[in-house]
Amino acid sequence: MIPAQFEYVAPSTVEEAVAALAEFGDEAKVLAGGQSLLPVLRMRLADPQLLVDLGRVEDMRGVREDGDALVIGAMTTHHDVLRDPLVRQHAELIALATRTVADPQVRHRGTFGGSLAHADPAGDLPAPALALDAEMVLVGPSGQRTVPAAEFFTDYFTTALEPAELLVEVRMPKWTGWRAHYEKFNRVAQAWSIVGVAAAVRVADGQIAEARIGLTNMGPTPVRATGVERALVGQPATPEAIRAAARHATEGTSPTADASADVDYRSHLAEVLTGRAVLTAATG
């Protein structure tokens, strides 16, 4: 199908983009990489009056250090996130999860911030962002504000972004020295996750000193598996201890049934994949 008619602007600054969004309000859509928006437009599931293309806003690209924080611009492509040495050094979990996103073509066009703002519960990046205590820096007509990942994702495909706000960058602590792994299960290559697990652990003297676990597609938003995290602390990094801790994976989750899996199957996957992800991270 052909998209409905719309106006198009390609600002070169964040301020210009926010002004355009403020003028059109709910009738405007933001184009980042376009990997999620363009199919929706073609199927006419959305018919905005204005499309704001962020491709020329260079200030929203790149990865940098800011003291104890790692900062990733929202318009940084998955390809660039995956290859960036700062990401691999200080947030390995982000790099590992990004490697599983779709295919090389999508990773060259899709953006880090676009995936987070899209807030698909089956998307692979919200759970790692939640596990690593990421903060979303938003800019709108009233200025700048920072929202923790735990408050940013509010429901299916819904975030704390206001209609005229932009996600401009993502900040997170440096997790230097932590071991990580992202484990996902899907029916065919390059498909969305039926369930995914983002695991980061700090191992000292053969024991798990700290753990951060995020779950993908186990509810309308990404979920922190805090029960698993607590159960892991102080335990030896052995398959038996990790499997025992992984039994807590479904606590606080609300998986749904769909064509890919029912609730029981998703719950089973969450437990199994959590054990795999943590064991790989701890011993890899």
Side-chain angles (χ1 to χ4, degrees), residues 120-137:
D120 190 328
D124 294 302
L125 298 182
L130 177 66
L132 298 185
D133 279 346
E135 294 182 329
M136 315 302 174
V137 180

Side-chain angles (χ1 to χ4, degrees), residues 19-40:
L21 290 173
E23 180 181 355
F24 281 77
D26 290 334
E27 298 302 322
K29 289 288 186 182
V30 173
L31 176 65
Q35 302 306 295
S36 298
L37 178 60
L38 292 182
V40 171

Side-chain angles (χ1 to χ4, degrees), residues 131-205:
L132 298 185
D133 279 346
E135 294 182 329
M136 315 302 174
V137 180
L138 315 181
V139 174
S142 300
Q144 178 177 301
R145 65 189 180 109
T146 301
V147 179
E151 300 173 14
F152 181 73
F153 305 103
T154 59
D155 207 339
Y156 290 101
F157 300 97
T158 307
T159 70
L161 277 163
E162 298 294 336
E165 281 188 317
L166 286 176
L167 170 61
V168 296
E169 64 183 25
V170 180
R171 303 175 62 90
M172 64 190 74
K174 293 179 180 178
W175 301 90
T176 317
W178 283 56
R179 304 175 185 178
H181 186 67
Y182 186 70
E183 185 83 18
K184 66 187 286 186
F185 184 84
N186 45 13
R187 293 190 299 172
V188 295
Q190 303 165 2
W192 297 104
S193 295
I194 295 177
V195 173
V197 179
V201 297
R202 184 172 65 84
V203 178
D205 299 325

Side-chain angles (χ1 to χ4, degrees), residues 5-16:
Q5 187 174 0
F6 54 81
E7 295 186 46
Y8 171 87
V9 296
S12 58
T13 68
V14 171
E15 292 74 20
E16 291 174 358

Side-chain angles (χ1 to χ4, degrees), residues 121-122 156 215-223 253-256 266:
Y156 290 101
L215 304 179
T216 296
N217 217 6
M218 285 297 289
T221 64
V223 181
T253 65
S254 53
T256 58
R266 273 205 166 87

